[in-house]
């Protein structure tokens, strides 16, 4: 892996405190006064759909499959037990500010997608500051390579693959999609794309960050700590490869079609709106779910609140996007 180096214990402790504080901030913003706080797992506030027991009964779960020899390179597979044909594949990348989170916190969501007729590969990756950029992008690309050789064993069809993620995971997912579809970026990063642009049917991007030149302006809590940890720089804007992380700069007409969403009270929402606009200028088909002017007050990662109407409605629109793009070729 690239750019891996020892990190002072004091810095790790400080970042852990910051991460937990941020998670607590998001949790508090999601809870009503008469609700009991649910445990925070990783970075997301997650409430499974009301029928999660039924979903679990119909979905096969294969845990902790190693996809590469690098640190923390494990994934889980979820797929319908009664699948009768090749399934489109979804690679999911969890968020957590690049320093936290895990695939386990996304399992119920991944199973929910799988239940609709998909092979979901939900990955872990090595975390900052122990693992610096571009480690997670390299690992996600390795996961795609692994899926090329193994997805068929679990009923997957690698000619129909989607890349998705939330928050920091959405940044990684968006850059990974650009890596597969933009030869210039691949050359700059000195990485060989694991799949072809033709194999990519879509990207699912939830509440991510896509423009490093403007992300500080978002006011997202402790954004500098997260990105400093990820880049290893005192100030992330000074990092020599920071331009690589700005997906908005690397969109080409070959970029896959996109489903993108963020809540109206998410400080990172303008990042999603800007990326959606840039994608459209390149001729990319974009399905967006934004809530500007609605006063719904939907916070960061509202998509995981599947016990709410807005979470359920966005899930339904996500599934409609997946179905449409699975059946048609760009």
């Amino acid at each position: 892996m690239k750019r891996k180096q020892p990190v002072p214990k004091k810095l790790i402790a400080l970042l852990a405190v910051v991460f937990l504080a941020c998670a607590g901030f998001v949790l508090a913003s999601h809870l009503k006064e008469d609700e009991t706080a649910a445990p925070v797992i990783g970075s997301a506030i997650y409430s499974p759909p009301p029928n999660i027991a039924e979903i679990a009964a119909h979905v096969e779960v294969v845990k902790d499959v190693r996809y590469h020899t690098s640190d923390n390179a494990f994934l889980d597979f979820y797929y319908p037990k009664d699948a009768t044909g090749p399934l489109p594949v979804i690679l999911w990348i969890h968020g957590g500010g690049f320093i936290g989170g895990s695939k386990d916190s996304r399992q119920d969501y991944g199973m929910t997608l799988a239940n609709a007729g998909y092979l979901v590969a939900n990955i872990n990756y090595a975390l900052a500051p122990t693992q610096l950029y571009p480690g997670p992008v390299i690992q996600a690309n390795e996961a795609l390579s692994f899926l090329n050789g193994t997805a068929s064993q679990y009923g997957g069809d690698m000619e129909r693959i989607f890349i998705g993620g939330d928050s920091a995971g959405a940044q990684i997912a968006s850059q990974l999609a650009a890596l597969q579809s933009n030869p210039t970026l691949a050359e700059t990063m000195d990485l060989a794309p694991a799949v072809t642009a033709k194999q990519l049917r879509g990207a699912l991007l939830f509440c991510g960050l896509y423009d490093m030149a403007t992300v500080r302006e978002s006011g997202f809590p402790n954004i500098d700590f997260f990105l400093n940890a990820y880049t290893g720089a005192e100030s992330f804007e000074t990092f020599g490869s920071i331009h690589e992380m700005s997906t908005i700069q690397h969109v080409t007409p070959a970029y896959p079609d996109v489903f993108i969403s963020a809540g109206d009270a998410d400080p990172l929402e303008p990042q999603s709106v800007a990326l959606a606009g840039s994608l459209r200028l390149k001729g990319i088909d974009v399905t967006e779910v934004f809530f500007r002017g609605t006063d719904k007050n939907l916070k960061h990662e509202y998509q995981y609140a599947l016990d709410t109407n807005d979470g359920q409605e966005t899930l339904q629109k996500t599934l409609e996007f997946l179905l449409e793009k699975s059946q048609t070729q760009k």
Side-chain angles (χ1 to χ4, degrees):
M1 302 293 294
K2 295 185 179 181
R3 305 176 192 173
K4 188 170 183 179
Q5 61 188 45
V7 178
K9 292 182 179 179
K10 289 184 178 180
L11 177 58
I12 294 175
L14 173 61
L15 290 166
V17 170
V18 170
F19 171 70
L20 291 173
C22 185
F25 167 84
V26 178
L27 173 61
S29 69
H30 275 272
L31 295 175
K32 299 176 182 178
E33 291 183 358
D34 59 348
E35 290 179 327
T36 301
V40 177
I41 304 175
S43 63
I45 307 309
Y46 183 68
S47 299
N51 65 332
I52 188 61
E54 179 183 352
I55 289 171
H58 288 90
V59 172
E60 191 72 40
V61 176
V62 181
K63 298 283 289 183
D64 296 327
V65 177
R66 180 172 278 282
Y67 64 82
H68 193 250
T69 58
S70 52
D71 293 346
N72 205 27
F74 295 93
L75 62 79
D76 296 343
F77 281 117
Y78 318 128
Y79 57 92
K81 292 179 179 179
D82 59 354
T84 57
L87 303 171
V89 179
I90 303 172
L91 176 72
W92 196 264
I93 307 172
H94 71 79
F98 304 104
I99 67 171
S102 77
K103 61 183 174 57
D104 294 337
S105 65
R106 308 306 191 259
Q107 177 164 319
D108 287 350
Y109 189 82
M111 290 170 61
T112 301
L113 296 179
N115 189 56
Y118 300 89
L119 172 65
V120 177
N122 179 21
I123 72 168
N124 269 349
Y125 51 91
L127 301 173
T130 301
Q131 177 59 60
L132 301 179
Y133 173 86
V137 182
I138 295 172
Q139 286 186 295
N141 195 52
E142 293 290 354
L144 283 178
S145 294
F146 176 80
L147 290 173
N148 262 333
T150 61
S152 61
Q153 299 175 27
Y154 299 91
D157 176 10
M158 283 298 288
E159 295 304 311
R160 296 181 293 164
I161 186 164
F162 297 85
I163 298 172
D166 60 275
S167 195
Q171 189 283 320
I172 298 168
S174 71
Q175 188 175 346
L176 181 65
L179 174 67
Q180 313 308 309
S181 57
N182 184 339
T184 300
L185 178 62
E187 182 178 358
T188 298
M189 296 184 69
D190 193 24
L191 287 175
V195 300
T196 66
K198 185 178 179 181
Q199 289 174 265
L200 282 180
R201 295 299 183 91
L204 309 172
L205 305 177
F206 294 168
C207 52
L209 51 158
Y210 313 108
D211 188 347
M212 301 303 119
T214 61
V215 71
R216 186 184 290 274
E217 299 169 10
S218 71
F220 190 85
N222 301 306
I223 188 64
D224 53 339
F225 282 95
F226 295 134
L227 287 172
N228 292 353
Y230 187 39
T231 61
E234 282 192 27
S235 177
F236 67 87
E237 291 97 338
T238 66
F239 178 55
S241 298
I242 193 66
H243 63 284
E244 294 175 9
M245 298 165 56
S246 291
T247 300
I248 200 167
Q249 297 182 20
H250 306 298
V251 173
T252 70
Y255 200 87
D257 294 337
V258 171
F259 183 95
I260 190 166
S261 180
D264 58 318
D266 184 350
L268 292 178
E269 184 253 16
Q271 293 270 308
S272 292
V273 172
L275 180 61
S278 180
L279 289 163
R280 285 200 173 94
L281 287 176
K282 295 294 184 179
I284 309 304
D285 184 67
V286 179
T287 301
E288 64 181 43
V289 179
F290 298 136
F291 299 88
R292 289 191 160 187
T294 65
D295 294 323
K296 285 180 175 288
N297 201 36
L298 296 176
K299 306 297 193 300
H300 190 62
E301 299 198 318
Y302 84 92
Q303 297 92 342
Y304 289 122
L306 291 176
D307 59 345
T308 67
N309 288 336
D310 293 305
Q312 281 282 342
E313 288 172 6
T314 298
L315 171 63
Q316 184 58 41
K317 292 175 182 177
T318 303
L319 294 175
E320 290 170 1
F321 172 87
L322 288 167
L323 179 62
E324 176 189 350
K325 302 306 177 181
S326 295
Q327 295 176 341
T328 60
Q329 184 97 24
K330 183 175 177 180

